[in-house]
Amino acid sequence: RVCRPRADCPVAPIRGYARGPAGLSSALLRTDGFVGGLWVSAAATFPVHDPASGAELGLVADCGVPEARAAVRAAYEAFCSWRGVSAKGKPLKEAQGEILYSANFLEWFSEEARRVYGDIISTPAKERRALVLKQPLGVAAVITPWNFPSAMITRKVGAALAAGCTVVVKPAEDTPFSALALAELANQAGIPPGVYNVIPCSQKKAKEVGEALCTDPLVSKISFTGSTATGKVLLHHAANSVKRVSMELGGHAPFIVFDSANVDQAVAGAMASKFRNSGQTCVCSNRFLVQSGIHDSFVKKFAEAIKTNLHVGNGFEERTTQGPLINAKAVEKVEKHVSDAISKGATVVTGGKRHHVGENFFEPTLLSNVTRDMLCSQEETFGPVAPVIKFNTEEEAVAIANAADVGLAGYFYSQDPAQIWRVAERLEVGMVGVNEGLISSVECPFGGVKQSGLGREGSKYGIDEYLELKYVCFGGL
């Protein structure tokens, strides 16, 4: 049932689409793995479903350990020549939305590749010179999530390729088509065979494929975005061969609104930060801490904004702002958090249940009277639920925010300059939004502290994650 095309033959459109979803060219709808510049099939396939309707979008090659090993070797062989390619080049054509964001990473790192500078260090010895060189690590294994299936790839792969590394990408089983489309685009752009490889696989095989990538001696670097629990497993595997790792793991972002804040601005920021992608981003606000003096006003205006501005529906419908959650398991977790909060005394201001549009849809939900012992205060919900906790003092708010064992992003609203400096420095997170709900940008470093990960992506610092420093002592001068 899976198309096995020749290298010059585009895959037939996915069943039910003349040119693929949203008019996408059928040439980008690939269902096989991409290894060494060739489209490769697997012994089995797995289905990919539309989370809105539940319809099967297509069957994708279910790659396993043999395909993973082959991809690593193809990447290693390609690395020998790719590492020496000139850094000057052009990015792929920009598109829209996340695709534009994805393209921006490629543009940024294609330019940043020309600014990988070494150093010459002065030493006391006149007959010596000390040099520091920056060289590519080698093969990078890239494991990405489903919520941003293109941008999470280009943010890593753009940096890796610019540094001179080659890559093997294992995309999430829910969204493999984006990674395969990028493989086709890389092919069209003239990226040499073996430099960019993709091995899609089902959830059943994900564990063994991940272990194969993390333990293969030819892999020098692991870059992963996903849950903290999975990240710890991959770190364990990578430790045996002391591989370099970048980990962008779970978050539990606080959103603090102080009495001095502009409430209307805070509500606008809360809407942008909480309900983007239906609450399914790693930097979505997960806990709203509102000072007692403006608590009631904020909750009232937040509820009005939710009811007025958010529209639940299929993502292809123009009016829709809130699409489905990724699968039934995600909906069950949101439902569990809401029911737990209600059972412990929380009040549903708006929403609170599944939406009638379909099984994977949940109403945008605002909870008040939330306490720290509730699940939504302790765990990342990853869904459209905004729990509000009332606090009295700045010290109390910072203590609640920092009580989590993760620290990816944090947000706060204040018009007090002294307070802004104090809180920005005291929040135990890798990224802080001050009077701003959207903080991601290709030019800025993205990453967290504590159990939210290791390393930074994007910005001038992102390319360093794929470079090794070499000290050269040049004597006898």
Side-chain angles (χ1 to χ4, degrees):
R1 294 179 65 189
V2 177
C3 177
R4 309 294 185 204
R6 302 186 308 275
D8 61 345
C9 173
V11 169
I14 292 180
R15 185 170 61 253
Y17 295 101
R19 285 177 55 78
L24 182 68
S25 169
S26 61
L28 298 182
L29 289 172
R30 295 288 184 169
T31 56
D32 286 337
F34 190 69
V35 176
L38 299 174
W39 297 100
V40 297
S41 61
T45 60
F46 67 97
V48 179
H49 295 96
D50 181 347
S53 65
E56 183 180 295
L57 294 176
L59 294 169
V60 176
D62 193 2
C63 297
V65 172
E67 289 82 9
R69 301 288 190 200
V72 168
R73 275 146 188 77
Y76 183 77
E77 291 170 3
F79 171 66
C80 297
S81 57
W82 179 254
R83 66 187 299 175
V85 173
S86 170
K88 186 174 181 179
K90 296 181 180 180
L92 299 177
K93 186 179 180 181
E94 296 180 354
Q96 298 177 342
E98 188 205 342
I99 304 304
L100 174 60
Y101 186 43
S102 304
N104 284 342
F105 280 114
L106 298 177
E107 181 180 40
W108 171 266
F109 284 116
S110 69
E111 296 167 348
E112 198 66 16
R114 304 172 70 183
R115 290 183 281 274
V116 177
Y117 303 124
D119 290 304
I120 297 178
I121 301 173
S122 297
T123 66
K126 295 182 179 180
E127 72 282 3
R128 296 178 186 172
R129 298 291 185 274
L131 295 81
V132 176
L133 308 180
K134 291 186 177 181
Q135 297 180 318
L137 285 170
V139 176
V142 172
I143 303 174
T144 57
W146 51 263
N147 57 345
F148 288 94
S150 293
M152 294 301 98
I153 292 175
T154 58
R155 189 160 71 185
K156 301 171 186 293
V157 171
L161 267 56
C165 297
T166 54
V167 298
V168 176
V169 176
K170 192 208 84 62
E173 63 273 7
D174 292 302
T175 54
F177 290 122
S178 296
L180 296 171
L182 287 170
E184 174 60 27
L185 290 171
N187 210 22
Q188 293 178 19
I191 298 297
V195 172
Y196 178 80
N197 307 273
V198 182
I199 48 166
C201 70
S202 63
Q203 185 177 20
K204 182 179 179 180
K205 290 185 179 179
K207 183 177 179 180
E208 63 184 44
V209 170
E211 181 176 354
L213 292 175
C214 290
T215 57
D216 194 302
L218 297 183
V219 173
S220 300
K221 163 82 179 188
I222 304 294
S223 182
F224 170 71
T225 296
S227 71
T228 298
T230 301
K232 290 178 179 179
V233 173
L234 298 180
L235 279 169
H236 175 78
H237 292 316
N240 289 330
S241 51
V242 197
K243 298 187 191 302
R244 285 275 293 276
V245 295
S246 293
M247 295 277 160
E248 195 254 283
L249 307 177
H252 190 32
F255 188 106
I256 308 172
V257 186
F258 291 103
D259 281 345
S260 67
N262 180 311
V263 176
D264 292 331
Q265 288 183 0
V267 168
M271 291 288 289
S273 175
K274 173 70 258 185
F275 294 107
R276 183 185 179 206
N277 203 31
S278 299
Q280 298 174 114
T281 85
C282 51
V283 292
C284 273
S285 296
N286 207 63
R287 301 168 288 160
F288 289 82
L289 314 178
V290 184
Q291 199 158 10
S292 55
I294 60 167
H295 174 274
D296 293 350
S297 173
F298 176 85
V299 170
K300 180 181 178 181
K301 291 185 176 183
F302 197 8
E304 291 172 352
I306 291 172
K307 294 174 184 177
T308 302
N309 299 317
L310 300 183
H311 306 285
V312 179
N314 190 298
F316 288 111
E317 296 173 1
E318 186 175 350
R319 188 168 179 263
T320 295
T321 64
Q322 301 290 288
L325 300 188
I326 188 62
N327 52 37
K329 186 177 180 181
V331 180
E332 290 168 2
K333 182 177 183 181
V334 173
E335 202 168 40
K336 179 181 179 182
H337 277 203
V338 172
S339 62
D340 171 80
I342 293 172
S343 71
K344 294 176 181 175
T347 301
V348 177
V349 181
T350 186
K353 61 183 183 300
R354 296 186 186 226
H355 199 279
H356 62 79
V357 172
E359 292 184 358
N360 287 347
F361 293 83
F362 201 91
E363 294 177 341
T365 299
L366 177 60
L367 303 175
S368 65
N369 298 320
V370 174
T371 55
R372 296 175 64 182
D373 63 331
M374 298 175 184
L375 285 177
C376 60
S377 299
Q378 300 173 353
E379 300 177 358
E380 185 177 29
T381 303
F382 227 66
V385 177
V388 178
I389 301 172
K390 184 188 293 188
F391 71 89
N392 294 311
T393 67
E394 176 185 314
E395 291 71 21
E396 180 186 0
V398 172
I400 294 172
N402 290 343
D405 58 6
V406 292
L408 188 58
Y411 309 84
F412 70 91
Y413 277 69
S414 170
Q415 298 296 315
D416 180 343
Q419 183 176 61
I420 288 173
W421 279 112
R422 287 195 306 270
V423 177
E425 292 178 354
R426 292 174 63 196
L427 282 181
E428 296 173 356
V429 295
M431 300 172 285
V432 181
V434 182
N435 298 323
E436 178 57 60
L438 296 176
I439 59 175
S440 298
S441 173
V442 296
E443 298 86 359
C444 302
F446 191 102
V449 299
K450 298 199 269 191
Q451 293 189 37
S452 280
L454 301 166
R456 294 295 182 269
E457 296 182 330
S459 79
K460 68 177 184 178
Y461 304 104
I463 199 169
D464 287 341
E465 298 288 331
Y466 298 88
L467 292 167
E468 194 72 82
L469 293 181
K470 179 182 286 184
Y471 160 52
V472 178
C473 183
F474 193 173
L477 302 179

